[in-house]
């Protein structure tokens, strides 16, 4: 009897782990007005069965609210903090203050910088990313957390000079000095690459991309890439990232999609209907564990952007309208996470 109970308990635990692994995360950006309290936001995650969160800077109220929950966390080092963390003592203090001091929070990844690009205005941070990653990794290791928390950085499709066809994906040659050592660091430490992948921006900026291809609603193959057939743009962009990594020695480097979303207003193709279609189909796609043509049969860990609209965000108008929920916590769309 005892052995049967043990077997049932193990099977139940395995089911819980498998179920959690298939869930999608949601990013919690806070550049908006009238947002709920951090505790209310965590409660909203829990009510909706969202078990993964990303936040873009340490926030004590959010970390306290996450304590004791089953929500896994990506915690960012903001770009403007990168230079300070090139000092090991500063990195050790950062890890102690924002991670070690919250032992009941399920930290999963530390994103050391977000979309740092040597070819745009964020180039001033580029020389700080890898030294900061190394120092944070050392601090995580010294705290005895290296098996629990992985250190990475969040990249994006803008670093690629070639993304079509996907197997020809390549990073811009003038940033190889930046990205190749990062790939080596991630492989050495068994950490994934974090990548923000947005079919919306590719669609909005490329006149010949069909909307159905971007929304997962194409009726069949749209792109033939040798022996690989693509029916949606998300897979194509993901595999272009993978191909770019492969060319620089990262053939076994896993990719976590640290952001993906579709706006409900603001610019070309942005509407509530299109956004709902994209989010529903993306969730269904990644939870099916079908992988991509280049990486079949794999679960693509994915974080939706974002929990709320961010009314104070700069850039194009669409940047303000990626929210899944209204500030009063009503859902903008009917989704199952």
């Amino acid at each position: 009897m005892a052995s049967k109970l043990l077997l049932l308990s193990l099977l139940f635990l395995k089911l819980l782990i498998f179920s959690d692994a298939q869930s999608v995360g949601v990013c919690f950006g806070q550049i908006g007005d009238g947002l709920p309290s951090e505790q209310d936001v965590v409660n909203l995650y829990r009510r909706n069965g969202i078990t993964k969160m990303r936040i873009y800077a340490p926030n004590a109220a959010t970390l306290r609210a996450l304590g004791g929950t089953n929500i896994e966390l990506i915690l960012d080092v903001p770009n403007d903090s990168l230079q300070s963390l090139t000092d090991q003592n500063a990195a050790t203090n950062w890890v102690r203050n924002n991670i070690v001091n919250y032992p009941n929070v399920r930290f999963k990844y530390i994103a050391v910088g977000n979309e740092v690009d040597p070819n745009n205005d964020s180039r001033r941070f580029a020389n700080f990313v890898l030294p900061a990653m190394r120092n944070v990794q050392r601090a995580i290791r010294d705290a005895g957390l290296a098996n629990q928390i992985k250190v990475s950085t969040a990249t994006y499709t803008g670093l690629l000079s070639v993304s079509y066809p996907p197997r020809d994906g390549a990073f811009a040659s003038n940033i190889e000095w930046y990205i190749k050592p990062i790939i080596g660091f991630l492989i050495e430490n068994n950490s994934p690459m974090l990548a923000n992948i947005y079919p919306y921006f590719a669609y909005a900026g490329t006149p010949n991309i069909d909307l159905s291809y971007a929304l997962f609603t194409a009726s069949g193959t749209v792109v033939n890439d040798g022996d690989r057939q693509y029916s949606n743009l998300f897979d194509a962009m993901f595999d272009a990232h993978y191909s770019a990594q492969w060319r620089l020695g990262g053939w076994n480097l896993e990719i976590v999609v640290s952001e993906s979303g579709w706006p409900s207003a603001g610019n070309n193709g942005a509407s509530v209907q299109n956004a709902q279609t994209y989010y529903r189909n993306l969730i269904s796609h990644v939870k099916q564990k079908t992988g991509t043509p280049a990486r079949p049969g794999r679960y693509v860990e994915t974080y939706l952007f974002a929990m709320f609209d961010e009314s104070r965000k700069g850039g194009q108008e669409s940047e303000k309208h990626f929210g899944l929920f209204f500030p009063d916590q009503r859902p903008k769309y009917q989704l199952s996470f």
Side-chain angles (χ1 to χ4, degrees):
M1 182 66 177
S3 62
K4 288 183 178 179
L5 288 174
L6 178 60
L7 179 60
L8 287 172
S9 297
L10 290 173
L11 288 172
F12 181 64
L13 179 60
K14 185 176 181 181
L15 179 62
L16 284 177
I17 294 171
F18 180 80
S19 175
D20 181 63
Q22 305 309 304
S23 65
V24 295
V26 180
C27 303
F28 175 29
Q30 296 178 275
I31 311 175
D33 295 316
L35 300 183
S37 71
E38 289 83 353
Q39 183 63 64
D40 285 343
V41 171
V42 170
N43 292 342
L44 185 60
Y45 271 70
R46 298 179 73 182
R47 287 199 305 273
N48 285 276
I50 306 169
T51 59
K52 301 174 190 291
M53 176 189 288
R54 179 182 178 186
I55 60 175
Y56 293 88
N59 179 288
T62 302
L63 295 175
R64 286 194 299 268
L66 286 170
T69 71
N70 70 333
I71 298 172
E72 295 178 328
L73 183 66
I74 300 178
L75 174 61
D76 277 35
V77 175
N79 291 349
D80 58 10
S81 296
L82 292 172
Q83 183 173 9
S84 67
L85 298 194
T86 60
D87 175 77
Q88 183 62 63
N89 289 331
T92 299
N93 289 335
W94 191 93
V95 168
R96 182 180 62 248
N97 293 338
N98 300 304
I99 297 174
V100 176
N101 285 350
Y102 298 91
N104 294 325
V105 174
R106 297 182 64 189
F107 296 98
K108 189 171 187 181
Y109 306 121
I110 306 301
V112 182
N114 183 50
E115 296 189 354
V116 174
D117 186 342
N119 285 330
N120 67 21
D121 289 344
S122 64
R123 66 175 60 90
R124 65 188 185 277
F125 303 117
N127 286 317
F128 307 138
V129 175
L130 185 58
M133 292 174 71
R134 287 174 173 154
N135 289 343
V136 171
Q137 177 70 44
R138 189 173 295 114
I140 291 289
R141 184 196 64 207
D142 291 347
L145 298 171
N147 291 329
Q148 172 188 337
I149 303 170
K150 297 300 181 181
V151 176
S152 187
T153 187
T155 59
Y156 80 124
T157 312
L159 296 181
L160 275 60
S161 60
V162 179
S163 59
Y164 178 86
R167 72 170 65 241
D168 289 347
F171 291 108
S173 59
N174 69 335
I175 70 155
E176 285 188 12
W177 66 268
Y178 166 73
I179 198 66
K180 187 173 182 179
I182 289 175
I183 290 172
F185 169 91
L186 296 174
I187 293 170
E188 178 185 349
N189 291 283
N190 194 30
S191 295
M193 178 73 82
L194 306 181
N196 300 339
I197 295 178
Y198 282 92
Y200 169 73
F201 290 119
Y203 164 76
T206 310
N208 63 341
I209 292 180
D210 190 88
L211 181 61
S212 65
Y213 184 52
L215 294 178
F216 298 89
T217 56
S219 58
T221 299
V222 176
V223 171
N224 282 293
D225 186 12
D227 59 346
R228 302 171 187 168
Q229 287 77 46
Y230 291 88
S231 61
N232 69 81
L233 183 55
F234 176 87
D235 283 356
M237 294 175 72
F238 182 97
D239 282 354
H241 273 266
Y242 177 72
S243 296
Q245 291 179 177
W246 180 86
R247 295 178 191 283
L248 298 182
W251 49 83
N252 285 322
L253 181 57
E254 296 292 337
I255 297 174
V256 171
V257 179
S258 44
E259 288 182 13
S260 191
W262 197 283
S264 59
N267 295 97
N268 180 39
S271 70
V272 171
Q273 181 178 352
N274 286 345
Q276 176 166 276
T277 299
Y278 180 77
Y279 286 119
R280 279 185 174 175
N281 290 337
L282 175 59
I283 292 170
S284 174
H285 182 64
V286 299
K287 289 176 74 172
Q288 287 174 6
K289 201 181 177 183
T290 54
T292 67
R295 307 282 277 176
R298 294 170 179 260
Y299 167 61
V300 179
E301 185 175 354
T302 301
Y303 292 74
L304 308 182
F305 188 86
M307 200 65 173
F308 303 101
D309 287 346
E310 295 183 274
S311 56
R312 291 186 284 108
K313 205 164 187 180
Q316 298 182 357
E317 180 64 22
S318 59
E319 295 277 2
K320 302 177 182 180
H321 300 282
F322 278 87
L324 305 179
F325 292 85
F326 295 106
D328 63 6
Q329 304 181 50
R330 289 180 298 119
K332 193 187 292 186
Y333 320 107
Q334 296 301 314
L335 303 174
S336 176
F337 300 96

